[in-house]
Amino acid sequence: MSPRMLHPLRLCHSYLNEKPASAAIVVRVLFLLWSILQDECFEVPYTDIDYFVVSDASRYIARGISPFGRTTYRYSPFVAIFLLGNYHAFIGKISFITGDIITGWLVQRTLDSLGCPEKVRFVSTVVWMLNPYTITMSTRGSFESITSALLVGVLHSVLEDQVVIAAILYGIVTHLRIYPIIFSIPFAFFFFGENKKKNVFGVQYSTRWCGNRRDSRCRYSLISHGSGTKKKPRRYGSFSFAVYSASLFVLLAFANYSVYGFDFLEEAFLYHLHRRDIRHNFSPSFHGEYISPTSTSLGTNWINEIPVTQSHAGLVVQMLVLVPQFATAMLVGMKFAKNLSFALYAQTVAFVALNRVCTAQYFVWYICLLPIVLPGWTGLCSGSHGMSNCAQKAKKMQTRGDEKRRRVSLGPGSNNLCRWQIVHVMCLCSAYQLEFHGKAIFGQVWITGILFSFVHASLMAKCVKYEQDSLAHA
């Protein structure tokens, strides 16, 4: 095997030997063993209901039956195919745990690409690897760990100028989970706008890898576009990224459509545009859906998600509800596209906060990007706009004024995190009383959903403030 092929294997081996990765594997195995005990002995099961849905769909495929014959299966058939070997609940969960570990490795590699110091990479990796939330989601059987690995892989490949690999991964992740399509806006602005961007020295720079991995200060060389070096313009990269990713997305969709017909388009894609979920979730919109006249046709079986026949007027209203969500995501993506990692993070927070349906697995969509943007808020590394001046900014942070700014910025961030967790627990407690004890506390559930929306809005506002302060001090 050539040294070039051995290099990634050596990096993975060294990563698995590090304490965060080893500890993460041990903790997830313990949670996996606990899941068996809780599923058998406790009132509230540990394993996510969607895990059984996807497992049943995979058995349908193994028998030559459409996975959409399984009620509430709303994913691409490839998700069910991924669990074809799931003869025991352990096997599928181990695959998702592996996705968690790969995501942590990609987070570390992405921070290394951004030139963040070793200690910062260590802490940020721990934020993902030993995060109780991500540990719980993967061991409960959530497919989002695979989505997170693909999404962070896209970001890492873009920052490494590996446009084809990034496009392939983006086409796959968009097919599996349609929401990453909103990231096409910051990707386009990033590719088109980067060749006009300047560093602190007033020199246009490229994100091409400088090749000196021993230099812990900054990983990217400063290449003047006015020099004699010939390089392809960034707009070529944007065109290649768009063509490859869109082609793969269409190819995968066509392959599934040719086998499963319109059922695939409706359940995997179109359903999410007119989805009505009268089950409890973290969005306050669920209560309005529950008390609406159209929900009365469901009778007492409110706990199951059942398609409802709607009038054209009702469908138009539901489409209009999506306008603020997509408009906010688009504006955020255009505004902060220069800092690609933050743009993706802020877009996802806004998208989840304004979504009509908000479940626990949606939070992983932006938690996987948090370790990458977190160093920028401390002033040690500031995303893609800090690729060329990370060392200079780290030196600036040694001054008294910047140290004071960093201390002030971390305080509100901790407060937002505490508020998020407190309201999250309140929502779960209300949901437990409603779903497992049948108490009619819909008003309480609705109020906690409103509080959670306010917390998300506060988090979004604070994120934008951190980013603006980071840009002002760059």
Side-chain angles (χ1 to χ4, degrees):
M1 190 176 294
S2 65
R4 185 174 182 179
M5 296 177 64
L6 284 173
H7 181 64
L9 297 178
R10 290 170 181 167
L11 290 176
C12 292
H13 182 266
S14 62
Y15 167 72
L16 292 175
N17 287 333
E18 293 179 358
K19 291 182 179 180
S22 302
I25 294 174
V26 172
V27 171
R28 281 165 173 79
V29 170
L30 293 177
F31 270 69
L32 189 60
L33 296 175
W34 169 259
S35 68
I36 300 176
L37 177 63
Q38 182 169 335
D39 287 341
E40 294 291 336
C41 304
F42 288 79
E43 178 185 17
V44 181
Y46 184 89
T47 303
D48 189 2
I49 185 64
D50 275 354
Y51 182 72
F52 297 111
V53 172
V54 177
S55 298
D56 291 344
S58 67
R59 297 187 187 98
Y60 279 32
I61 291 180
R63 298 171 187 169
I65 306 174
S66 169
F68 302 109
R70 174 57 164 94
T71 307
T72 71
Y73 183 77
R74 315 291 188 191
Y75 307 100
S76 165
F78 288 116
V79 177
I81 292 174
F82 185 81
L83 292 183
L84 273 178
N86 189 24
Y87 298 106
H88 192 278
F90 263 112
I91 299 176
K93 291 184 178 181
I94 290 174
S95 301
F96 299 149
I97 290 174
T98 304
D100 254 358
I101 305 302
I102 294 175
T103 302
W105 178 70
L106 289 170
V107 165
Q108 190 179 74
R109 298 297 301 161
T110 303
L111 292 173
D112 185 53
S113 298
L114 296 175
C116 293
E118 183 177 356
K119 291 183 178 180
V120 178
R121 295 200 303 270
F122 177 85
V123 173
S124 295
T125 304
V126 168
V127 168
W128 171 264
M129 298 297 291
L130 299 180
N131 189 321
Y133 202 87
T134 58
I135 294 172
T136 303
M137 293 305 296
S138 61
T139 52
R140 290 188 67 204
S142 174
F143 186 76
E144 301 305 331
S145 61
I146 306 299
T147 304
S148 300
L150 291 170
L151 183 57
V152 178
V154 173
L155 179 59
H156 174 67
S157 300
V158 168
L159 297 180
E160 290 286 325
D161 266 349
Q162 298 171 343
V163 177
V164 176
I165 295 177
I168 292 174
L169 295 177
Y170 185 63
I172 294 174
V173 72
T174 307
H175 174 79
L176 297 179
R177 301 290 287 175
I178 191 63
Y179 84 92
I181 199 170
I182 63 176
F183 301 147
S184 59
I185 300 296
F187 280 137
F189 275 77
F190 178 78
F191 279 112
F192 273 86
E194 190 179 7
N195 61 340
K196 298 179 181 179
K197 190 177 174 182
K198 298 182 179 181
N199 58 31
V200 291
F201 302 107
V203 180
Q204 293 180 349
Y205 66 90
S206 167
T207 58
R208 189 68 64 180
W209 188 260
C210 63
N212 185 9
R213 291 185 176 268
R214 295 184 179 181
D215 184 2
S216 62
R217 296 172 300 172
C218 185
R219 303 297 188 186
Y220 288 85
S221 59
L222 305 179
I223 304 176
S224 172
H225 287 279
S227 63
T229 305
K230 293 183 179 180
K231 63 187 301 297
K232 296 178 181 179
R234 292 308 232 163
R235 297 188 180 185
Y236 176 83
S238 177
F239 178 78
S240 300
F241 182 85
V243 170
Y244 286 125
S245 60
S247 299
L248 182 58
F249 177 83
V250 172
L251 179 63
L252 294 175
F254 179 78
N256 283 310
Y257 179 78
S258 62
V259 177
Y260 302 108
F262 186 76
D263 286 343
F264 159 71
L265 294 179
E266 168 61 26
E267 301 294 346
F269 297 144
L270 301 179
Y271 167 80
H272 298 282
L273 295 177
H274 59 79
R275 178 178 182 179
R276 295 186 71 250
D277 193 346
I278 59 172
R279 296 177 58 185
H280 159 260
N281 62 84
F282 293 100
S283 173
S285 301
F286 109 92
H287 192 247
E289 298 284 356
Y290 177 71
I291 64 177
S292 64
T294 53
S295 66
T296 57
S297 61
L298 300 180
T300 59
N301 193 20
W302 66 271
I303 200 168
N304 292 322
E305 184 181 14
I306 305 176
V308 178
T309 304
Q310 300 169 328
S311 64
H312 292 292
L315 187 60
V316 170
V317 170
Q318 289 203 359
M319 294 296 104
L320 291 177
V321 171
L322 298 176
V323 173
Q325 181 185 21
F326 282 93
T328 304
M330 290 177 62
L331 291 175
V332 169
M334 291 186 289
K335 173 67 176 178
F336 299 103
K338 290 184 178 181
N339 185 351
L340 186 58
S341 55
F342 176 80
L344 302 188
Y345 175 81
Q347 269 194 308
T348 312
V349 173
F351 188 84
V352 171
L354 297 175
N355 203 28
R356 288 201 312 261
V357 179
C358 183
T359 61
Q361 64 184 11
Y362 292 5
F363 304 145
V364 183
W365 295 356
Y366 59 78
I367 290 177
C368 69
L369 297 169
L370 178 62
I372 302 174
V373 300
L374 187 62
W377 297 340
T378 63
L380 293 176
C381 188
S382 54
S384 61
H385 66 261
M387 288 188 289
S388 63
N389 63 344
C390 188
Q392 289 80 6
K393 186 163 187 178
K395 189 178 295 183
K396 287 181 182 179
M397 287 303 298
Q398 296 177 1
T399 63
R400 183 180 302 176
D402 285 343
E403 285 291 343
K404 181 179 180 180
R405 179 176 65 86
R406 186 175 67 176
R407 288 195 299 270
V408 172
S409 65
L410 284 177
S414 302
N415 292 337
N416 276 317
L417 180 61
C418 291
R419 285 196 293 266
W420 187 93
Q421 190 59 56
I422 291 172
V423 178
H424 186 204
V425 172
M426 292 172 57
C427 291
L428 293 177
C429 291
S430 301
Y432 173 75
Q433 296 294 324
L434 175 66
E435 296 186 7
F436 288 91
H437 292 280
K439 294 184 178 180
I441 54 173
F442 294 97
Q444 179 179 328
V445 173
W446 180 55
I447 291 174
T448 55
I450 293 175
L451 290 176
F452 207 66
S453 296
F454 275 111
V455 170
H456 263 129
S458 176
L459 175 64
M460 183 66 188
K462 191 60 63 176
C463 291
V464 172
K465 182 180 182 300
Y466 287 165
E467 178 63 14
Q468 289 176 340
D469 289 345
S470 181
L471 286 170
H473 289 79

